[in-house]
Each structure stands twice: as C-alpha cells, then as structure tokens.
Amino acid sequence: MTEKDIHHLLGKLPQLKQEIQKVIVGQEEVLDEVLITMMAGGHGLLEGVPGLAKTLLVRTLSNAMDLGFRRIQFTPDLMPTDILGTEVLEEDHATGKRFFKFNEGPIFSNIVLADEINRTPPKTQAALLEAMQEHEVTYAGKTYFLPKPFFLLATQNPIEQAGTYPLPEAQLDRFLLYIKIKYPTEQEELNILSSTTGTRQAQVQPILSGEEVMLLRQLVREVSISDELLSFVNQLVRATRPDSTSIEFVKKYCRWGAGPRAGQALILTSKARALLNGRFAVTADDIQTMAYPVLRHRVLVNFAAEAERVTPDKVVDELLQSIKLPKAVLV
C-alpha cells in the first residue's frame, strides 16, 4: 500500500463511526472498543443490562460494512450443529449414488452475533472455541475454513442468573475484549427517546469492505511500540499472578492471573487504538486505557474480593498505580 492508500483507508474509520452513530446514540467508548476488536482481528464480549442496544450496535456495525452477517439466538436447547452445521444425505440424480453433504451453519459468516451467549449450556458454548481461535470448523473429520474476515461479537446480561451458564475461563480468554455497556447520560437518553419514537428511520450506508478490513488488520500490526512500553505491558500482565506478584493487593484478592495471551491482546488493541486515533505509534495512554477491557475477564478474584466488592477493574486500578511507567515514553 502507498502512503496515499493508507491515509484513504484510515479516513474511512471516522466515516464508519458516523454511520453507526446515525443509529447508536452516545456510547463512544463502547463503539471505539468494538471497532478496536474488529481492527485487531479478535472477538468481543459485550455485557449490559437489557435495553442498552447491544444487539442493535452489532447489527448496525454489520450494515456499515459490506460483509456477511448472521445472528444466533442462544437458548438452553441450542445444539452445536445449530451453530456449526450438519451433514445431510443427498442423492446424485445422474448416477443414483448417495453421499453426505455438509450444510454450513450460521457460524460461516464474516460477522457473527452470539446473542445472550450465556443462555446455552457449556456443550454448545464449546462449539465456538475452534472457530474463535483457528477460524475453522472440524466436522466428521473434515476441516472447513471460515470466511475472511471473521469476528464474533457475543452479548450477555449480567443481572439474570436463572437459566444461565457462566462462560468457562478458557472461553472467556478467547475474547480479545470484555466490553461493558453502561447506562446513557441524561442528554443521551433524551436523544434516544426523541430519535426512536418517531417515523424517521436512519439509513446506514456500507463504508468498509472485507478486503479493507484485512488491510486494516495488517496495518495494526505495523504500528510501532517502544521496547520500554513492551516491558511495561509484560510487567503489568505478570503482576496479575498472585503466586509471583509483589503487589499485596493482588495477593490478597486474586486467585488467578492473566496468561501470555493477555499481553498479546493488550499490545494489539493498543496498536489498534493508536491507529483509530490517527497515530502510528503506541502511547502509554493507549495501554492504560485498553488494560481494563483486556484484563477484566482474565483476572479472577477470590471470595474475599467478592465479599468486599472488589472487582477486576479495581485490581487493574491498583496495578496501574503500583507499576511505574518507564521514563522517556510517549504519554
């Protein structure tokens, strides 16, 4: 890509946000984190109470991109084959021979919305593991590759416990970011009421193609990061592990820390955030901002923390205060 091509491609990111904001009011931080997930080539877990437009956000994102989109409603009776696909027996009318043909499930799309993912049992949740990690599906001994680009956005409701199945830690780790959606501000809620109860329907135009998404993912990896910031990320992740950390707060309240995948996620998402903001180098602010959605589902707190209402985000607060930034780095 030439320098002109790069600037043209990056110029489409503000346009993409504008198209999504025709429908989604406010939620700037959430929207940025969803776009960062897409640019970094990962998957996102969106958590919020009912009515905060989680599903609408994902659907609007798909409308603003020239990509295939499928929505899977996760229910207690959903089976793995309902996601992956299944083989059916067919007959060749010319020869009369019968054969099995694999019918692809809804996972074979560019953008997949796993709606209310925690409403289905672990057996069905596990059907996503290979697709999320290797971007492929194995069925009856054969491997089928998913389309490129592929990324999965899952939603879950934090306030309902009956009829839900918490995601296993191994699957949580497959999500690049754990995105929490908060209530809108008073003015944002007023705008929502005004824009959604009339007759006018916003029309969202596709801005990015699949090929451009793949180019963006390549550009993200070319964003530079200093050795000092790499070392800072490494210290940050290693400090989450209670058996080896020197931070007393972590020893007291954490029962499990983040693995190496957290460091990879933090670096990639920091690079994507830099690119989203028109920069070609990672700053300390990128890392400190992305530390929360990267680590909140990878740091497991213990019973003492739950009793005292110490959340993983509070643990990240303590980590960022305890681990000093290296000198002479971009802030």
Side-chain angles (χ1 to χ4, degrees):
M1 294 179 68
T2 64
E3 186 175 345
K4 182 180 178 181
D5 293 334
I6 292 173
H7 285 290
H8 175 71
L9 181 58
L10 294 183
K12 287 194 171 187
L13 291 174
Q15 296 177 39
L16 181 64
K17 288 182 67 173
Q18 288 173 9
E19 287 298 312
I20 297 172
Q21 287 169 335
K22 288 181 180 179
V23 177
I24 303 299
V25 178
Q27 303 291 1
E28 285 271 351
E29 184 179 337
V30 171
L31 180 53
D32 282 350
E33 289 177 0
V34 169
L35 293 179
I36 286 168
T37 302
M38 178 269 295
M39 293 168 63
H43 313 287
L45 178 61
L46 285 74
E47 181 180 274
V49 299
L52 295 186
K54 300 184 294 295
T55 302
L56 182 61
L57 170 60
V58 180
R59 188 177 291 279
T60 305
L61 173 67
S62 71
N63 291 337
M65 302 171 73
D66 191 16
L67 295 172
F69 170 73
R70 298 293 295 272
R71 176 180 181 270
I72 309 172
Q73 183 64 53
F74 279 66
T75 56
D77 60 347
L78 193 74
M79 298 296 290
T81 52
D82 296 327
I83 299 172
L84 305 179
T86 186
E87 285 187 335
V88 294
L89 186 62
E90 292 196 354
E91 183 177 335
D92 188 334
H93 295 292
T95 63
K97 292 184 178 180
R98 295 184 177 183
F99 61 94
F100 283 101
K101 179 184 177 183
F102 180 69
N103 281 357
E104 296 178 349
I107 196 71
F108 286 85
S109 189
N110 298 114
I111 305 175
V112 176
L113 168 59
D115 213 1
E116 295 185 285
I117 190 172
N118 59 335
R119 284 196 170 276
T120 199
K123 175 183 177 180
T124 305
Q125 291 175 3
L128 296 172
L129 291 176
E130 183 183 9
M132 292 173 70
Q133 187 64 31
E134 281 85 24
H135 293 189
E136 63 187 33
V137 167
T138 301
Y139 188 93
K142 292 183 180 179
T143 298
Y144 302 89
F145 295 99
L146 297 175
K148 293 182 180 181
F150 168 77
F151 61 105
L152 181 137
L153 293 167
T155 68
Q156 68 177 15
N157 176 356
I159 61 174
E160 289 185 346
Q161 300 300 322
T164 61
Y165 304 85
L167 292 174
E169 285 76 8
Q171 183 152 8
L172 279 174
D173 198 37
R174 298 292 201 287
F175 286 102
L176 190 71
L177 295 184
Y178 185 177
I179 303 167
K180 289 197 172 183
I181 304 180
K182 301 176 182 176
Y183 286 111
T185 64
E186 183 177 355
Q187 185 58 49
E188 287 171 351
E189 193 158 359
L190 185 62
N191 293 340
I192 291 170
L193 295 176
S194 173
S195 62
T196 59
T197 56
T199 58
R200 189 175 65 87
Q201 295 286 330
Q203 298 297 318
V204 178
Q205 302 299 321
I207 301 297
L208 279 181
S209 67
E211 182 181 357
E212 288 171 327
V213 172
M214 297 305 293
L215 289 173
L216 271 174
R217 291 180 174 182
Q218 180 182 333
L219 276 178
V220 164
R221 291 182 172 270
E222 293 176 7
V223 172
S224 64
I225 180 171
S226 68
D227 292 340
E228 291 81 7
L229 286 178
L230 274 174
S231 178
F232 175 68
V233 169
N234 193 38
Q235 291 177 50
L236 194 63
V237 172
R238 291 181 64 82
T240 64
R241 301 165 191 168
D243 58 343
S244 59
T245 187
S246 60
I247 300 174
E248 290 301 322
F249 190 89
V250 174
K251 290 181 179 179
K252 181 178 179 181
Y253 291 116
C254 294
R255 62 184 174 90
W256 204 257
R261 190 180 279 144
Q264 295 169 332
L266 187 49
I267 291 169
L268 278 176
T269 54
S270 296
K271 287 185 173 187
R273 184 178 187 269
L275 203 61
L276 187 63
N277 288 284
R279 290 180 280 105
F280 293 92
V282 174
T283 65
D285 181 63
D286 293 323
I287 293 171
Q288 291 170 325
T289 301
M290 298 314 302
Y292 292 92
V294 166
L295 293 175
R296 65 167 56 113
H297 58 302
R298 294 181 167 100
V299 173
L300 305 182
V301 295
N302 56 26
F303 291 114
E306 292 175 5
E308 298 179 34
R309 297 186 179 181
V310 174
T311 64
D313 279 8
K314 178 62 177 174
V315 175
V316 177
D317 280 337
E318 292 290 331
L319 289 169
L320 292 176
Q321 291 173 19
S322 303
I323 302 174
K324 301 300 180 184
L325 277 169
K327 295 180 180 179
V329 299
L330 292 171
V331 177

